[in-house]
Amino acid sequence: MSRLTVFSADNPQQALFDSSEPEAITQQLQDAGIRFEQWHAAAPISPDSTDEQILTAYAADINQLKAQRGYLTVDVISLNANHPDKTLLRQKFLAEHTHSEDEVRFFVRGQGLFCLHINGKVYQVLCQQNDLISVPAGTTHWFDMGSEPEFTAIRLFNNTEGWVANFTGSPIATAFPLLD
């Protein structure tokens, strides 16, 4: 189940807000300038579905979002506990960073924890199957896929280079709870 926990950026021990209600999560994130919504597949998806089958099952939502926001490229990424670089990738994503474009992820299966550092608060968004999150360009954040990652996500980009991070060098991410 999706969950949003909000902390003051200088007090990671006490939550200011905590909910697993989709409407409450959507409203809190919308107030912070973050898009959060849930999509449902137009065709059955299984762990064996190909990238093409996944993209076809969500084509209507993807095309609508591309038309609204001008995204140029779409792909599917899958990570699992057997990935040889899982530890290195986790550490890379856990460092606070920004992007020059929106970071858009839709979770087809599995989960990931987006941590957004906005206006003196940290919004920890546990995204799970059917969740779409769009982190606006320039928003400081980090991502935790857990020590044993298991997810498939659709990514949308404004550029053809894909995921390009600008690391802040801040140690803030080390002060907040991780996925596991």
Side-chain angles (χ1 to χ4, degrees):
M1 180 179 297
S2 309
R3 178 167 222 89
L4 172 63
T5 307
V6 181
F7 300 91
S8 171
D10 55 9
N11 187 358
Q13 283 75 38
Q14 185 174 357
L16 303 172
F17 176 87
D18 186 50
S19 180
S20 58
E21 295 296 323
E23 298 83 17
I25 293 170
T26 301
Q27 187 60 56
Q28 283 285 321
L29 291 174
Q30 184 178 15
D31 291 348
I34 307 300
R35 183 180 192 145
F36 181 85
E37 58 193 42
Q38 295 182 322
W39 291 355
H40 297 284
I45 296 291
S46 75
D48 297 324
S49 294
T50 66
D51 292 358
E52 183 178 304
Q53 290 168 324
I54 290 169
L55 293 173
T56 298
Y58 295 99
D61 289 314
I62 291 168
N63 290 335
Q64 181 180 14
L65 196 55
K66 284 173 72 175
Q68 289 173 351
R69 302 291 299 169
Y71 300 118
L72 302 174
T73 61
V74 179
D75 69 10
V76 176
I77 183 170
S78 294
L79 284 174
N80 63 43
N82 296 326
H83 194 285
D85 295 325
K86 68 181 181 185
T87 302
L88 180 66
L89 288 170
R90 183 182 193 199
Q91 290 309 309
K92 179 179 174 181
F93 298 147
L94 277 173
E96 185 184 61
H97 59 276
T98 64
H99 301 284
S100 61
E101 67 171 337
D102 299 347
E103 182 166 353
V104 183
R105 299 293 178 271
F106 172 74
F107 285 81
V108 175
R109 65 176 188 81
Q111 65 181 5
L113 182 69
F114 273 90
C115 303
L116 316 168
H117 186 190
I118 304 169
N119 296 327
K121 294 180 183 175
V122 172
Y123 296 76
Q124 288 197 317
V125 189
L126 177 61
C127 295
Q128 296 191 321
Q129 183 175 1
N130 298 328
D131 289 343
L132 173 108
I133 189 167
S134 178
V135 180
T139 302
T140 52
H141 66 283
W142 58 94
F143 175 75
D144 187 13
M145 61 186 191
S147 59
E148 298 295 318
E150 194 66 44
F151 69 88
T152 298
I154 296 172
R155 307 183 301 174
L156 291 95
F157 297 100
N158 288 87
N159 68 53
T160 56
E161 297 169 11
W163 193 86
V164 178
N166 303 304
F167 294 97
T168 68
S170 170
I172 189 170
T174 62
F176 288 85
L178 297 176
L179 191 55
D180 57 12

